[in-house]
Amino acid sequence: MTLKALAQSLGITLKYLFSKPVTVPYPDAPVALKPRFHGRHVLTRHPNGLEKCIGCSLCAAACPAYAIYVEPAENDPENPVSAGERYAKVYEINMLRCIFCGLCEEACPTGAIVLGYDFEMADYEYSDLIYGKEDMLVDVVGTKPQRREAKMTGKPVKPGYVVPYVRPELEGFKAPTKGGEK
Amino acid sequence: MNPYPLDPYWMVALKALLVVVGLLTAFAFMTLIERRLLARFQIRLGPNRVGPFGLLQPVADAIKSIFKEDLVVERADKVLFVLAPLIGVVFALLAFGAIPFGPPGSFFGYQPWVLNLDLGLLYLFAVSEMAIYGIFLAGWASGSKYSLLGSLRSSASLISYELGLGMALLSPVLLVGSLNLNDIVNWQKEHGWLILYAFPAFLLYAIAALAEAARTPFDLPEAEQELVGGYHTEYSSIKWALFQMTEYIHFITASALIPTLFLGGWTMPILEVPYLWMFLKIAFFLFLFIWIRATWFRLRYDQLLRFGWGFLFPVALVWFLVTALVVALDLPRSYLLYLSLIAFLVLLGAVMYGPKSTRKPAPKGLSKGGGA
């Protein structure tokens, strides 16, 4: 401890006084997420609109938390749902069990399941935390409670985050972007 | 005879009320300002939820502290337990009235001070010293060993620093030849600020004032890591808030006294506006003390006492003797100007060219971590 060190330390804190705070007033301002944030899962589609998921259940096998349940069914050749022989008739993820590790994404042979950005999933009932296909396909905006609130208030879903860019694996997923281009 | 006009009693009472209300409001908002500033120093946002910019936070805090459960410890001395925070607050409030805020007659034709005592400085000392009774009685009456340890420690440090404080103030008093705060300000208006004549005394006084207000490098009463809560461990609710109030009022008073004694009070060589400069100077010192709190560490108890007795007191004594010599031999006062300049340059040199760290570099080859 010397006078010089004391004076220098005052300079350091003064510098911080005039710098922008790192904290975010979260519900009022969006959280800045990294592009590879592990949030709510997104079931992506091919550019022609067919689902990528072929119902192989490899994600369920890879899942360390046993959070995924897949029930496959044969595609109707005239009117296919997915690009393969089969598609996922039921695709459910229990968000209470999910640990957002991303191993399902690693295991997926077609790149159908990708971890997105939504994280505001807190809800009141266990049953509401089991997300089905209708909650996770790319066109869906927001989480279950967010969409419920949007329906009640009549306002669009307000996501609590921004990302610098949406990573390409999340094909077609709309997310608020700000700053930084890929 | 007293050269300063006297006010009618009703005016004095009104001004006293104004000072009390003003100080309590200032205390409430200082807590907010301090928390906001500390947050910004730590790159946070700070409390901003209650009202615009968090401006209603003090109101929320007040409501909370009033309606919290007011515990009185079984083994406490009931009377003293209630009396102690009151003593603290009352004597903290008393001190502020002696500080002049402008020239005579500038307060709507009345005087911009509550008290104008010939022994103004002595009065301030007596009153601020009484605050130790609040602290000590609080620790004693709590019937708890942590409170007692905390209060002993606080009163020991306060008394030690009071010596340095008083000694540092003797040199300006010798130069001015009066204890009256108005005289001191007027002298500075005529001859230039006392910081120019007594730079070391100013520095020592500022340091001792930090200790007196129990602010960061010397905030041992607050050392909750060691003392649970210090002397107010057993206090809760409004009584605890009263201690907090005492501390902040001391803080504000100290920030008002430093400019009054050393920086010309309400006077300013250029653009003289009676109240503005005083408030700006107070604000500057409040900011400085918060800045220091955001930056520096707390001294250990033995370091605190060693610094007080081993450095502050002797240096103050030497400077007092130098000033006394100049005054007694009737030497030109400009000698003090030169000596102050030398002291300032020595300090500047230590800050600019001093060694960066006294800590020895760690010997190579030792494994990282796990060191003492």
Side-chain angles (χ1 to χ4, degrees):
Chain A
M1 179 190 114
T2 63
L3 277 176
K4 189 180 185 181
L6 284 178
Q8 276 177 338
S9 61
L10 281 177
I12 291 169
T13 43
L14 195 65
K15 191 181 81 196
Y16 283 132
L17 177 67
F18 293 107
S19 57
K20 198 170 165 278
V22 292
T23 47
V24 180
Y26 156 59
D28 298 337
V31 182
L33 296 179
K34 299 287 185 222
R36 289 167 68 175
F37 182 80
H38 280 182
R40 195 210 81 210
H41 313 68
V42 173
L43 288 170
T44 54
R45 290 176 191 274
H46 287 293
N48 62 6
L50 290 177
E51 286 175 18
K52 284 186 188 171
C53 180
I54 51 169
C56 68
S57 289
L58 278 178
C59 48
C63 182
Y66 303 115
I68 307 181
Y69 172 73
V70 188
E71 206 179 296
E74 294 290 330
N75 257 329
D76 176 9
E78 300 298 311
N79 195 11
V81 179
S82 80
E85 275 177 31
R86 301 196 294 174
Y87 73 100
K89 199 171 86 184
V90 178
Y91 194 104
E92 284 178 349
I93 296 181
N94 186 341
M95 292 298 173
L96 285 170
R97 303 195 90 186
C98 179
I99 58 171
F100 299 93
C101 63
L103 283 184
C104 45
E105 186 181 332
E106 303 273 326
C108 187
T110 60
I113 183 160
V114 186
L115 271 74
Y117 303 116
D118 288 317
F119 57 88
E120 294 155 302
M121 288 184 280
D123 218 330
Y124 294 98
E125 281 175 40
Y126 288 154
S127 56
D128 283 338
L129 279 143
I130 294 168
Y131 279 48
K133 271 174 86 171
E134 69 279 8
D135 302 313
M136 290 189 291
L137 278 169
V138 270
D139 340 283
V140 176
V141 179
T143 63
K144 261 193 197 177
Q146 281 180 321
R147 280 182 288 128
R148 195 188 305 134
E149 193 190 327
K151 207 171 147 192
M152 271 161 58
T153 57
K155 287 177 194 159
V157 169
K158 184 171 156 273
Y161 63 87
V162 280
V163 275
Y165 61 88
V166 179
R167 62 191 176 113
E169 287 86 346
L170 280 162
E171 203 177 329
F173 185 70
K174 299 270 186 305
T177 52
K178 194 183 123 194
E181 275 297 313
K182 207 203 162 200
Chain B
M1 270 310 287
N2 196 338
Y4 302 101
L6 288 170
D7 277 342
Y9 286 120
W10 64 269
M11 193 64 207
V12 174
L14 193 69
K15 281 185 298 188
L17 188 72
L18 199 69
V19 163
V20 169
V21 171
L23 270 180
L24 294 187
T25 319
F27 145 73
F29 280 95
M30 270 318 291
T31 55
L32 175 69
I33 291 168
E34 175 156 33
R35 285 170 69 190
R36 284 302 292 261
L37 267 178
L38 276 181
R40 292 310 302 268
F41 272 120
Q42 296 160 359
I43 350 179
R44 295 183 288 119
L45 282 165
N48 61 356
R49 307 302 304 174
V50 196
F53 307 107
L55 277 176
L56 295 178
Q57 184 73 40
V59 182
D61 285 344
I63 292 171
K64 187 198 92 168
S65 56
I66 289 168
F67 286 105
K68 268 179 100 166
E69 186 184 0
D70 194 0
L71 290 169
V72 178
V73 191
E74 189 109 318
R75 289 172 59 185
D77 183 328
K78 302 286 185 305
V79 179
L80 284 183
F81 191 75
V82 179
L83 214 55
L86 295 178
I87 291 176
V89 158
V90 167
F91 284 106
L93 284 171
L94 275 180
F96 205 80
I99 295 165
F101 272 76
S106 69
F107 184 74
F108 306 114
Y110 296 101
Q111 318 313 322
W113 53 78
V114 181
L115 297 162
N116 179 43
L117 298 167
D118 284 340
L119 295 174
L121 217 48
L122 210 58
Y123 162 79
L124 276 176
F125 270 109
V127 163
S128 66
E129 197 71 344
M130 288 296 282
I132 295 172
Y133 278 99
I135 288 174
F136 187 77
L137 288 178
W140 174 253
S142 288
S144 148
K145 87 182 146 197
Y146 287 111
S147 300
L148 189 62
L149 281 173
S151 73
L152 277 174
R153 187 189 245 222
S154 304
S155 24
S157 68
L158 285 182
I159 290 170
S160 310
Y161 277 80
E162 197 76 22
L163 272 173
L165 192 82
M167 206 50 88
L169 279 190
L170 279 181
S171 40
V173 168
L174 271 182
L175 275 175
V176 176
S178 166
L179 284 162
N180 189 319
L181 286 169
N182 279 307
D183 285 347
I184 292 175
V185 172
N186 287 337
W187 189 91
Q188 295 185 77
K189 197 178 168 144
E190 241 167 79
H191 298 87
W193 292 359
L194 271 165
I195 186 177
L196 302 172
Y197 293 90
F199 179 73
F202 161 74
L203 213 61
L204 296 172
Y205 180 74
I207 294 171
L210 272 179
E212 199 61 11
R215 298 290 302 176
T216 276
F218 315 107
D219 59 345
L220 281 170
E222 295 271 300
E224 57 273 287
Q225 295 91 337
E226 306 154 29
L227 286 170
V228 191
Y231 61 89
H232 51 54
T233 304
E234 304 296 347
Y235 281 87
S236 54
S237 178
I238 189 70
K239 297 204 201 84
W240 180 84
L242 284 179
F243 279 121
Q244 203 69 7
M245 207 184 278
T246 313
E247 236 161 66
Y248 272 92
I249 292 168
H250 274 299
F251 175 37
I252 296 168
T253 311
S255 306
L257 257 182
I258 299 174
T260 306
L261 293 171
F262 290 99
L263 296 176
W266 49 266
T267 65
M268 196 72 188
I270 44 149
L271 200 77
E272 197 160 292
V273 191
Y275 296 91
L276 177 76
W277 286 112
M278 190 61 191
F279 283 117
L280 281 182
K281 286 170 187 175
I282 293 174
F284 171 76
F285 277 97
L286 289 173
F287 173 77
L288 188 73
F289 286 170
I290 292 172
W291 185 12
I292 285 173
R293 176 168 174 196
T295 310
W296 292 347
F297 39 82
R298 177 188 301 134
L299 286 178
R300 211 170 54 211
Y301 184 53
D302 62 315
Q303 291 171 335
L304 174 95
L305 285 190
R306 189 174 304 137
F307 183 74
W309 287 99
F311 175 78
L312 213 63
F313 183 56
V315 174
L317 196 62
V318 166
W319 186 255
F320 163 61
L321 288 177
V322 168
T323 313
L325 206 66
V326 169
V327 173
L329 300 180
D330 212 13
L331 298 169
R333 303 293 192 257
S334 52
Y335 284 12
L336 285 174
L337 287 175
Y338 297 132
L339 281 173
S340 291
L341 189 67
I342 290 169
F344 177 70
L345 289 177
V346 167
L347 182 79
L348 201 68
V351 168
M352 302 284 280
Y353 304 107
K356 199 176 167 193
S357 172
T358 48
R359 184 172 289 176
K360 290 191 192 91
K364 278 178 186 169
L366 284 177
S367 61
K368 277 180 191 167

